[in-house]
Amino acid sequence: MSTQPKPITKDNNNSSILLANDNWKVDYSKAKKVVSPNYKTGRPVPIRGLVLHGTAGGGTIEWFLNPASKVSSHYVVEQDGKVTQMVSETDVAWHAGVVSPTSILADKGNPNSFCIGIEFSRNKTNDNIMPDAQILSGLDLVNDIRGRYPHIQIYFHDEISIGRICPGPNFPKTLFRT
């Protein structure tokens, strides 16, 4: 969890909701801000990587809002092309998970510490053909991030956690890597 104090509020059902610190502005001007409570404030090292994921089903934003999930990503790109930013790029989102010993990032530290994470909304098996609106929006986001971090490396989650089907088949990896 974030080290920032989190106020408690009530939702429409009078249930308590833990709110994250939202004293930041979106880094990508086309993104809607929805703040996840699942992150660590600050970064121990500079940003040098970008990890692309597939969501393996819907409900990603709601899941990232749940403190019990203990997961988040900086961005979510929906199939209609809408982009939501959930964690400031200056903070560590919890998206990369365990690094496999044969990963290209093995022995390089926790990738969450130096990577920005982008989730692409996909079907449960992460194998749907992605709509053009989603691809174009995702490319715009990635290019915007590249403009701010010119030497950033692009990784796919299945290169970090070997055996995962993430971002999955039919993900246009070549388009995002070039």
Side-chain angles (χ1 to χ4, degrees):
M1 287 269 183
S2 161
T3 56
Q4 297 293 323
K6 295 185 177 107
I8 301 289
T9 190
K10 300 287 183 180
D11 67 9
N12 293 338
N13 298 323
N14 205 28
S15 299
S16 294
I17 299 175
L18 189 62
L19 296 178
N21 175 18
D22 68 352
N23 292 330
W24 53 272
K25 293 183 179 176
V26 294
D27 297 290
Y28 175 62
S29 65
K30 298 176 185 175
K32 174 184 173 185
K33 179 179 170 183
V34 177
V35 182
S36 173
N38 302 322
Y39 68 95
K40 182 177 182 224
T41 302
R43 284 192 180 268
V45 294
I47 293 169
R48 62 180 188 265
L50 178 58
V51 181
L52 306 183
H53 303 263
T55 62
T60 303
I61 291 171
E62 293 79 12
W63 185 237
F64 289 172
L65 288 173
N66 182 347
S69 75
K70 298 183 181 178
V71 292
S72 63
S73 190
H74 295 90
Y75 297 96
V76 177
V77 181
E78 299 291 346
Q79 291 191 10
D80 64 3
K82 291 180 182 158
V83 177
T84 301
Q85 184 170 358
M86 302 200 70
V87 176
S88 170
E89 290 177 12
T90 61
D91 294 328
V92 176
W94 302 337
H95 58 94
V98 177
V99 179
S100 300
T102 57
S103 166
I104 57 177
L105 293 179
D107 301 320
K108 303 225 186 298
N110 182 343
N112 289 336
S113 297
F114 58 85
C115 290
I116 294 168
I118 301 176
E119 292 277 354
F120 287 84
S121 182
R122 308 230 27 222
N123 65 1
K124 286 186 180 184
T125 52
N126 269 344
D127 64 358
N128 63 295
I129 302 295
M130 294 168 59
D132 288 345
Q134 184 179 34
I135 293 169
L136 292 172
S137 183
L139 287 170
D140 189 63
L141 171 59
V142 167
N143 287 330
D144 185 79
I145 292 169
R146 282 179 168 153
R148 286 182 269 115
Y149 307 97
H151 302 292
I152 202 163
Q153 297 294 306
I154 306 291
Y155 303 106
F156 303 103
H157 196 203
D158 57 10
E159 295 174 320
I160 296 169
S161 184
I162 307 303
R164 275 195 174 268
I165 301 172
C166 180
N170 300 315
F171 189 92
K173 289 183 174 184
T174 304
L175 281 175
F176 282 92
R177 220 175 231 147
T178 56

